[in-house]
Amino acid sequence: MRIRTYLVGLFCLLILSFNSSFAQIEKAPDRAEGEGPFKRLIVRGVTLINGNGAPPTGPVDIVVEQNIIKGIYNVGYPGLAIRERDRPKANPGDQELDAEGMYLLPGFVDMHGHIGGTGQGTPSEYVFKLWLAHGITTIRDPSAGNGLKWVLEHKEKSNKNLITAPRILAYTGFGQGAKAPISTPELARQWVRDNAKNGADGIKFFGAAPNIMQAALEENKKLGLRSAMHHAQMDVTRWNVLNSARAGLTSMEHWYGLPEALFTDRIVQNYSLDYNYRNEQDRFGEAGQLWKQAAEPFSEHWNKVMDELISLDFTLDPTFNIYEANRDLMRAYSAEWHKDYTLPSLWEFYRPSRRSHGSYWFDWGTEQEVAWKENYRLWMTFINEYKNRGGRVTAGSDSGFIYQLYGFAYIRELELLRESGFHPLEVIMSATLNGAEAVGMDDKIGTIEVGKYADFFIVEENPLKNLKVLYGTGALRLNDNNEVTKVGGVKWTVKDGIIYDAKQLLEDVRKMVEQKKNGLSFKMTTK
């Protein structure tokens, strides 16, 4: 009993250690951005890329009343003049948004969106504006790192549009706020009940003793709440993804726990004998060896695990982007947006350190990167096939660590889903409808449909042809005069019928960074 209590206490300590990077930050300021909502808003002439896998269609006019979509009208054919007789008529006082030739998509759902922290020096306003500027209108905050009370307060303010922010869902870290270690199943059940009473939308787990995990997940499911889990190495040998899914977990984060469920000739990862979990180069370096220890793709056991997870309606949220520095460190730290949009304090947090979470570049080299490239190949094979067989795959960023910046990292996640084998329409579906389904909001968001919230964004370029046009910094293009230009970047983000100028939000962030640079040396170097 003492050993079990100690281990559960260690688990709670790990939660507290993780959340320490997110010690409560200041409250977001009152909203000073955006126009609307309007009694009636008509978006004119867009090409609609819906989140349901359907191909683009347009031109269409979309009518919004306050924050609800009220009508979607076909108004002609590509290459021909729009038929005025088919257009919804504007009444006196209506707001019209001319988006002819542009593309409209449902607002993105970031399934893994931490709202900054004091460790990184990232104010919530900075984070929120970067998200909205990239078309992200809903985020799921895993672990409620600023404290559940803080997150719920900002969730309510966002719902009322008192602040400039996406919709927020709060998933409390299991054990967060407990007065003592959760050492028995009944204590686990009681904590889950209290968490629901406190207003949380769900729970994020990292691991615990099997009887405690079983009790907590069963109770959470009984209460109708959802859940996510990062299957940390400290408990994954006894409790992997299959255990979680069978007990009622609704989604897994990253990929930990999945290779372990696919083991056929071992039960424990092939750790080096001097491995120490608290040494993050050990932790992340050797994690890059995990997938090659699992069953071969399309083998009997590989297929069996996949099919069971799909039968349980289990969601995979891979967060490919957050580990990409492991396979190409130089690419991650030299990304073009760091110069203008990464706060000096966040850049310092990224740099190699034995204390900062995710800053494990003690001696990272070619061998680690080659191993991680193979890790990605095997991981992506599983994710793509999971999607092909009807499993739900979502898009999450986990920004604020490992050189990944809010908003920009989410778009990179979409590119990595494309690399995995997803058609661009499947990528958009993962980022919109699948995310809405996973958080239980598909009746309100995720697609452009009459009766749903007016959450969408508009971009001047076709993102299906090049996802890079969704980056705030745009995409390179050579024009007819042989000049290099930048195209793209979200033009408008609409949340709850309020129109935000996405480029102005980015300019606000750039000014925040510039002001901080003037008071703090900011050198783009890893030395």
Side-chain angles (χ1 to χ4, degrees):
M1 179 61 73
R2 279 185 189 173
I3 292 175
R4 187 176 71 180
T5 302
Y6 167 75
L7 289 173
V8 176
L10 178 60
F11 157 73
C12 291
L13 180 63
L14 288 172
I15 292 287
L16 291 172
S17 176
F18 178 82
N19 285 336
S20 66
S21 296
F22 298 106
Q24 189 175 111
I25 54 179
E26 87 297 334
K27 296 178 181 180
D30 292 342
R31 179 168 69 90
E33 299 80 19
E35 297 181 37
F38 304 94
K39 183 177 180 181
R40 194 164 181 256
L41 165 68
I42 306 175
V43 181
R44 300 288 195 186
V46 293
T47 298
L48 173 62
I49 301 176
N50 220 333
N52 57 5
T57 185
V60 301
D61 284 1
I62 297 174
V63 175
V64 173
E65 294 181 9
Q66 293 294 331
N67 68 330
I68 302 297
I69 298 169
K70 291 293 186 176
I72 305 166
Y73 301 88
N74 292 313
V75 295
Y77 298 91
L80 298 178
I82 288 178
R83 297 183 311 213
E84 292 300 323
R85 69 177 186 272
D86 294 332
R87 310 196 88 163
K89 305 304 180 193
N91 301 318
D94 287 356
Q95 180 77 15
E96 297 182 82
L97 189 63
D98 182 6
E100 189 169 339
M102 301 181 195
Y103 295 81
L104 185 147
L105 292 80
F108 288 144
V109 180
D110 190 334
M111 287 285 286
H112 203 115
H114 296 291
I115 309 174
T118 55
Q120 295 98 321
T122 48
S124 56
E125 180 186 7
Y126 168 83
V127 176
F128 291 151
K129 286 184 175 180
L130 282 171
W131 277 331
L132 284 173
H134 287 88
I136 298 163
T137 56
T138 300
I139 66 101
R140 182 180 68 168
D141 181 354
S143 303
N146 292 307
L148 182 59
K149 181 179 178 182
W150 188 99
V151 176
L152 291 178
E153 179 184 348
H154 283 73
K155 172 185 175 178
E156 182 66 15
K157 286 183 175 181
S158 176
N159 286 342
K160 294 178 178 178
N161 296 302
L162 301 177
I163 58 175
T164 299
R167 300 183 189 281
I168 299 169
L169 294 165
Y171 279 42
T172 322
F174 180 59
Q176 187 175 353
K179 295 179 180 178
I182 299 173
S183 55
T184 68
E186 183 47 44
L187 285 173
R189 292 180 187 277
Q190 185 58 55
W191 183 91
V192 170
R193 290 191 289 268
D194 291 342
N195 186 57
K197 289 178 184 176
N198 290 336
D201 297 295
I203 302 171
K204 182 185 178 183
F205 295 88
F206 286 85
N211 61 339
I212 290 173
M213 286 297 307
Q214 187 76 34
L217 283 167
E218 285 178 355
E219 192 69 22
N220 197 59
K221 184 177 181 180
K222 186 191 302 183
L223 295 170
L225 298 186
R226 294 169 190 264
S227 49
M229 186 166 179
H230 169 157
H231 292 75
Q233 283 97 330
M234 299 308 293
D235 275 295
V236 73
T237 299
R238 299 184 294 170
W239 188 273
N240 61 41
V241 168
L242 274 179
N243 302 113
S244 293
R246 290 166 180 164
L249 187 75
T250 56
S251 68
M252 64 166 286
E253 304 305 293
H254 318 309
W255 51 272
Y256 305 103
L258 188 48
E260 289 87 348
L262 294 167
F263 286 168
T264 58
D265 60 352
R266 70 197 69 209
I267 60 170
V268 174
Q269 175 183 336
N270 186 24
Y271 296 108
S272 299
L273 299 184
D274 58 353
Y275 178 102
N276 187 325
Y277 182 76
R278 298 287 285 174
N279 178 325
E280 288 204 343
Q281 175 140 346
D282 282 354
R283 173 181 162 184
F284 289 97
E286 297 199 16
Q289 309 283 340
L290 250 173
W291 274 97
K292 71 178 184 180
Q293 298 171 45
E296 288 286 331
F298 305 101
S299 63
E300 181 180 358
H301 185 59
W302 193 90
N303 286 325
K304 182 180 177 181
V305 169
M306 178 177 292
D307 291 342
E308 182 174 355
L309 291 175
I310 292 172
S311 73
L312 293 167
D313 194 29
F314 192 66
T315 297
L316 305 186
D317 185 39
T319 68
F320 286 126
N321 77 96
I322 195 59
Y323 302 106
E324 190 171 26
N326 294 346
R327 68 174 188 171
D328 193 347
L329 178 57
M330 187 181 296
R331 183 192 193 286
Y333 74 66
S334 61
E336 64 176 336
W337 42 82
H338 287 313
K339 179 177 180 294
D340 289 329
Y341 300 109
T342 298
L343 285 167
S345 57
L346 183 55
W347 185 256
E348 287 299 315
F349 183 86
Y350 288 153
R351 286 157 54 97
S353 169
R354 298 185 188 277
R355 291 191 179 91
S356 298
H357 175 57
S359 302
Y360 44 84
W361 320 108
F362 311 161
D363 186 18
W364 200 265
T366 305
E367 294 305 304
Q368 287 82 5
E369 291 190 356
V370 169
W372 266 95
K373 284 181 170 68
E374 177 65 4
N375 213 45
Y376 266 86
R377 185 186 70 81
L378 295 168
W379 179 17
M380 286 177 163
T381 299
F382 190 96
I383 297 297
N384 189 52
E385 184 63 14
Y386 196 83
K387 173 264 300 178
N388 289 343
R389 296 187 192 183
R392 185 183 302 107
V393 177
T394 57
S397 64
D398 198 10
S399 299
F401 303 97
I402 317 180
Y403 294 107
Q404 295 301 326
L405 185 59
Y406 308 93
F408 292 94
Y410 188 85
I411 306 307
R412 183 57 186 158
E413 183 70 12
L414 305 188
E415 289 194 285
L416 292 168
L417 287 170
R418 180 73 184 94
E419 181 184 329
S420 300
F422 287 45
H423 185 282
L425 286 170
E426 293 172 335
V427 172
I428 300 303
M429 191 172 179
S430 289
T432 55
L433 179 58
N434 287 4
E437 289 178 347
V439 298
M441 293 186 67
D442 51 302
D443 61 331
K444 297 179 175 67
I445 62 172
T447 54
I448 305 302
E449 296 182 55
V450 172
K452 288 193 175 185
Y453 290 144
D455 285 13
F456 50 82
F457 68 90
I458 297 169
V459 61
E460 293 172 298
E461 301 288 324
N462 182 355
L464 300 181
K465 294 177 67 175
N466 182 6
L467 291 166
K468 293 183 189 300
V469 302
L470 296 172
Y471 285 118
T473 46
L476 288 174
R477 183 172 296 168
L478 195 66
N479 67 17
D480 293 339
N481 296 322
N482 202 37
E483 299 167 332
V484 177
T485 62
K486 279 287 190 79
V487 298
V490 173
K491 186 172 182 63
W492 294 297
T493 298
V494 178
K495 181 245 178 180
D496 254 339
I498 298 172
I499 303 171
Y500 293 95
D501 182 331
K503 296 184 187 299
Q504 183 57 53
L505 294 177
L506 280 176
E507 178 61 16
D508 292 349
V509 170
R510 189 195 64 78
K511 287 179 180 177
M512 289 184 208
V513 172
E514 185 177 26
Q515 289 170 1
K516 290 294 183 180
K517 285 182 185 179
N518 289 336
L520 178 67
S521 176
F522 182 75
K523 297 179 180 179
M524 297 298 296
T525 175
T526 57
K527 293 182 180 180

